Amino acid sequence: MQSESVNQWLDADQVRALAESLLAPGPSLNPSPNESIYGESFEGFTVVAAEQSSSKALQSFSKANPGAVSARGISEKPELAERASVENPAAVRKTVPSLPKEPEIKLEPIEQPRPRPQGAPTPVAPQSLNSPRLGEKEKQRHIVASAQAPAREPQPASSQPIKMKQTPQGEVHPNRSQRPEPQRAAVVRSPFKRIAQKQPDRKEPVQRETFRPLPLSTRLQAFGVWLKEQISTQSYFICDRHGEIVVDEVGSEKLIKVARTLAHASSSAGRQVGDDQDLGSLHVKIGPDRVMEVVPRHSHFGLVVLGLIVPRPLSREAAGSVSRALATALADQSSPGQ
Amino acid sequence: MITLAITSQKGGVGKTTLAINLAHAFARSGRRTLLVDSDPQGSVGLSLTRQSRHLSGFYDMLGNPSVSAENIIVPTRLPTLSLVASGRSSAYELGGGSMGVTLHRVRCFLSEVAALNYDVCIIDTAAGLFGATADVLSASTGVIVPQQAEPLGVRSVPKMLEALARMRVVNPQLQVLGVVLTMVNKKLPESLESAEALRNLLPPEMVMQTVIPRDDLFVKASARGLPVGVMEEGAEALAIFEGLRTELERRIVPPNPQSAEYAK
C-alpha cells in the first residue's frame, strides 16, 4: 500500500514497469554478420585504446560492451558540397541517404589533364633503394609498385555477405582478425606541391590576370587519381562538415558516418592539444584486407572528411601527405601562390 | 575493474557521502579502490582533503589529453584507497564538453586506471544525468542511485528512471544496481513512510536492503575530512556500509578470493 504523499504524484504501474525494464539485462551488442556491414572482423577505432578498457571491464561481468558514438555538426563555413556541385554537378552527389548501391557518378577522365610531370606525384625513395643505376623517376615507380604489389594480389572470395560495395582488388574475410600492418610507403609528395615548388624558378612574377585556377571539381578529380595511383586507394569519399557528399565511390552511409564521427572526435582532440592538422593515421578496420583511413582536414570550407578504403593503414607520414594534398586540392586558388 | 557511478537526478540526496563511505568499505575489504569526483562542486575533495582546491583532477583530465590518470590520483592514508579530485572545472563549465570527446577522455581515463590495477572505481557525479555525468554513465558498468527517504525524493523517482532508461540506450550494458535509501530518519514518520512507499513502488530487487540513516556523524566526519567509518564512534556506520558493499558485491563483483566471507 502506498503512501498518500506519494501515490497522488505518480503512476505506480508506469513507474514499476519502467523500473522492471531497467532491471532487464542489456541486449547483446555483438551484431550478427548480417546486421553489420563491416563483417565480423570489424574492430572499431583502432587508435582508441579506451575501447579496450570498456571491454576489459565488461569481460569481468562476462558481457559485451557498447561503443556508442554519434555524429555532430561543426562550425559555419562555406559550403563545400554546394560549391563543388556548382562547378561540376556531374561529379557530385548531394546527400547520403539516397545512395543507390552502385554509385551514380564515377570519376570520369579529367577533361583537362594536367601535364604528367607536374601532376604525377612521386614518393620519396627509402635509403635502401638509392641505386645509382636507376633514374629518380624509375626508382620512385619501383617503390610505388613494390608497395602496391601485395595489396593488389587477387584475394580469395569471401562467403560472408557484405553489404558494402566491394572492389575487385580486396574481398572481405570476416573470419580473419589479423591487424593490418601500416603501409611502408613512407612519404608521398603531393602533386600540387610540385607545381608550387616550381613556381619560384620563374623569374617574372606571376600576374593575377594570367593565373587561371582549375575548378574545385577538377582539382578533386586529380586528387582522386593521385590517391589511386600513389596510395593504393581502392575507393574514397569526401564529405563536408554536414555530411554532404562531395565525392563518393564507397557507397556506404554507415562507413561515412563512422568516418565523420572519428574525424570530429579526433579533430576536436587535436585542437585541444594545439595541433589540429597533424592527426596521424586514423583508421577503422573493415575487413582483413580493407581499412578505412580517415583524413580530417580543416579548410576554408570547414572540416572536410576524406575516407579512403585501402588495404593497410597508412603510415603517419603518408597520412600527412594525403592530408596536405587534400588541403591543396581544397585551397582557394583564386589567387596565385595559394 | 568495475566502474560504479553514483548518481541521481535530485541534488542533496547523499551521493557524496555514499561514494566516500562505499569506496572506504571496498578499500577496507582489500580491493584497490579509486574514488573519482566528477562533480564540479568538488565535494569529495572538500570532504577528504584540505588541498583539494589545488589538486588537478577529473576536469583537468577532460580538458587536457596530456593529463594522465597517474598525474591526478592522490593516495590516502588507507593504501588501497586513492582518490581523484574534481579539479578545475571552470573551462568545462563555460564551454561544456565536446560531444564524443568527453566520453572518449573518460574511457581513456578508465583504461589507464584499469592498467594501474585498480579493482573498483567509484565515481561520484553531479546531480542530473547529463553533461559529464552522462559520459561517466556511458562508460560505467553499474550505477547506484541514492534516494532520499522523503516524499519529494520519492516523487522524483519517475524522472530518475526515465533518465536511466535514456542512458541505457546509450550504454545498454549499464547495470542498474539499485536504489539506496538515504537520510532515513527513524524518528520521522514521513521519512519511514516514504521509504516504505518506495519499496512498494519499485521491484524488490531494485531497492537495496541496506539503508543509510540520517546521522549527525556524517556531518562530523565531513568536518574532519574522514570517512565516517574511520571515526571513533563510527562503528555502526562502518557496519552499514560494509553491509552495502556486501550486498553490491553479491550483485556484481566477482568473489574476492582474499575475503573470508567468500571462502564459506
Side-chain angles (χ1 to χ4, degrees):
Chain A
M1 186 149 182
Q2 290 186 38
S3 162
E4 288 296 317
S5 63
V6 171
N7 62 3
Q8 292 176 353
W9 299 83
L10 41 80
D11 183 340
D13 293 337
Q14 191 179 17
V15 171
R16 180 176 282 268
L18 187 55
E20 286 173 349
S21 73
L22 287 170
L23 290 172
S28 170
L29 291 177
N30 296 325
S32 70
N34 291 332
E35 291 174 332
S36 169
I37 65 164
Y38 315 128
E40 288 178 347
S41 60
F42 179 73
E43 289 183 352
F45 299 160
T46 55
V47 294
V48 180
E51 299 290 336
Q52 298 166 4
S53 81
S54 298
S55 338
K56 278 184 184 175
L58 288 160
Q59 279 171 4
S60 67
F61 296 98
S62 302
K63 293 178 180 177
N65 190 34
V69 290
S70 60
R72 64 188 179 87
I74 54 178
S75 59
E76 293 301 318
K77 293 282 184 175
E79 301 297 333
L80 172 60
E82 288 178 9
R83 180 160 166 181
S85 63
V86 168
E87 290 176 349
N88 188 357
V92 175
R93 286 190 292 122
K94 285 288 290 181
T95 56
V96 174
S98 61
L99 288 178
K101 289 190 176 180
E102 290 296 327
E104 281 180 4
I105 308 298
K106 293 189 177 180
L107 284 180
E108 295 175 358
I110 302 171
E111 295 176 3
Q112 297 174 342
R114 306 176 77 165
R116 183 70 181 175
Q118 290 183 348
T122 53
V124 173
Q127 293 179 352
S128 60
L129 290 172
N130 286 335
S131 168
R133 293 181 181 178
L134 293 174
E136 180 66 19
K137 201 165 184 177
E138 290 173 340
K139 277 195 288 184
Q140 291 163 354
R141 284 180 180 164
H142 172 74
I143 294 158
V144 172
S146 60
Q148 292 177 340
R152 295 187 173 175
E153 288 176 4
Q155 302 294 328
S158 169
S159 59
Q160 192 65 43
I162 302 294
K163 293 178 182 177
M164 195 179 72
K165 182 177 179 294
Q166 301 290 306
T167 65
Q169 295 172 349
E171 299 289 338
V172 176
H173 298 271
N175 294 329
R176 286 185 57 187
S177 60
Q178 288 182 343
R179 191 178 294 272
E181 294 295 325
Q183 291 187 27
R184 292 188 178 181
V187 178
V188 183
R189 286 182 183 154
S190 158
F192 307 100
K193 268 199 169 176
R194 286 202 134 221
I195 299 171
Q197 285 166 358
K198 288 197 171 185
Q199 285 178 353
D201 294 337
R202 300 180 62 163
K203 294 180 179 177
E204 295 179 2
V206 177
Q207 299 297 319
R208 180 177 292 270
E209 293 75 15
T210 61
F211 187 85
R212 302 185 65 181
L214 292 171
L216 174 62
S217 57
T218 305
R219 298 201 304 272
L220 289 178
Q221 285 179 340
F223 174 64
V225 171
W226 176 79
L227 284 176
K228 293 186 176 180
E229 288 183 351
Q230 302 299 332
I231 312 293
S232 300
T233 303
Q234 296 167 2
S235 55
Y236 75 105
F237 64 85
I238 299 173
C239 64
D240 71 3
R241 66 189 187 279
H242 299 305
E244 295 199 353
I245 303 301
V246 181
V247 179
D248 182 18
E249 296 182 348
V250 176
S252 169
E253 182 185 351
K254 287 188 177 179
L255 280 182
I256 292 173
K257 187 175 181 181
V258 168
R260 288 182 61 216
T261 304
L262 180 57
H264 286 191
S266 302
S267 176
S268 301
R271 278 199 296 269
Q272 288 182 5
V273 298
D275 183 2
D276 59 350
Q277 297 298 359
D278 185 15
L279 298 170
S281 174
L282 309 172
H283 52 266
V284 180
K285 184 177 179 183
I286 58 175
D289 298 318
R290 290 167 69 90
V291 171
M292 179 172 70
E293 189 78 32
V294 180
V295 181
R297 184 77 199 190
H298 290 282
S299 70
H300 64 288
F301 296 108
L303 182 65
V304 175
V305 181
L306 167 67
L308 309 173
I309 307 301
V310 289
R312 293 179 298 278
L314 300 182
S315 66
R316 189 180 186 87
E317 293 77 14
S321 296
V322 172
S323 178
R324 288 188 292 275
L326 174 63
T328 308
L330 294 171
D332 185 0
Q333 297 185 348
S334 58
S335 61
Q338 286 191 326
Chain B
M1 187 183 79
I2 60 165
T3 304
L4 305 179
I6 297 181
T7 191
S8 71
Q9 279 280 30
K10 188 177 178 302
V13 299
K15 286 187 292 297
T16 301
T17 298
L18 177 59
I20 290 172
N21 293 288
L22 188 60
H24 179 247
F26 271 111
R28 285 187 77 252
S29 75
R31 296 184 186 277
R32 292 200 68 204
T33 305
L34 182 66
L35 174 59
V36 179
D37 189 0
S38 73
D39 183 351
Q41 292 185 84
S43 301
V44 167
L46 293 172
S47 298
L48 296 180
T49 173
R50 293 173 190 167
Q51 286 82 32
S52 70
R53 282 190 305 142
H54 308 294
L55 293 175
S56 295
F58 182 78
Y59 284 93
D60 299 280
M61 176 273 300
L62 287 187
N64 186 352
S66 66
V67 175
S68 69
E70 278 184 293
N71 297 144
I72 55 177
I73 291 177
V74 179
T76 70
R77 296 178 195 177
L78 188 60
T80 49
L81 177 62
S82 304
L83 65 89
V84 169
S86 174
R88 288 171 282 271
S89 59
S90 54
Y92 183 90
E93 288 169 338
L94 284 173
S98 300
M99 188 184 293
V101 175
T102 304
L103 176 57
H104 173 69
R105 291 294 305 145
V106 172
R107 284 180 169 158
C108 286
F109 168 74
L110 293 175
S111 173
E112 292 176 47
V113 172
L116 293 171
N117 295 321
Y118 282 93
D119 301 312
V120 181
C121 179
I122 293 177
I123 307 180
D124 183 29
T125 68
L129 277 66
F130 51 84
T133 300
D135 290 322
V136 166
L137 288 171
S138 298
S140 296
T141 46
V143 57
I144 304 164
V145 183
Q147 192 68 50
Q148 200 175 6
E150 292 177 9
L152 183 57
V154 178
R155 290 171 198 162
S156 70
V157 164
K159 289 265 186 192
M160 181 267 294
L161 296 178
E162 288 165 8
L164 284 177
R166 287 195 294 274
M167 286 312 308
R168 291 249 298 180
V169 173
V170 179
N171 181 3
Q173 298 303 306
L174 178 69
Q175 189 179 354
V176 181
L177 294 168
V179 173
V180 180
L181 280 162
T182 60
M183 302 183 180
V184 177
N185 187 346
K186 293 179 180 176
K187 296 177 183 174
L188 188 64
E190 286 80 4
S191 179
L192 294 174
E193 190 179 290
S194 297
E196 185 185 0
L198 191 69
R199 289 196 184 279
N200 290 331
L201 183 65
L202 298 177
E205 57 269 35
M206 182 171 262
V207 185
M208 297 283 187
Q209 292 301 313
T210 307
V211 299
I212 312 299
R214 183 180 285 277
D215 193 332
D216 293 343
L217 196 58
F218 289 112
V219 180
K220 292 179 182 177
S222 177
R224 292 182 58 184
L226 295 170
V228 69
V230 177
M231 302 282 285
E232 291 175 0
E233 58 272 53
E236 187 179 348
L238 185 65
I240 288 171
F241 284 101
E242 280 296 314
L244 181 60
R245 175 189 65 81
T246 305
E247 198 176 349
L248 280 169
E249 286 198 345
R250 285 184 184 138
R251 295 188 179 209
I252 55 160
V253 183
N256 182 354
Q258 297 175 346
S259 176
E261 64 189 88
Y262 287 104
K264 295 176 183 176

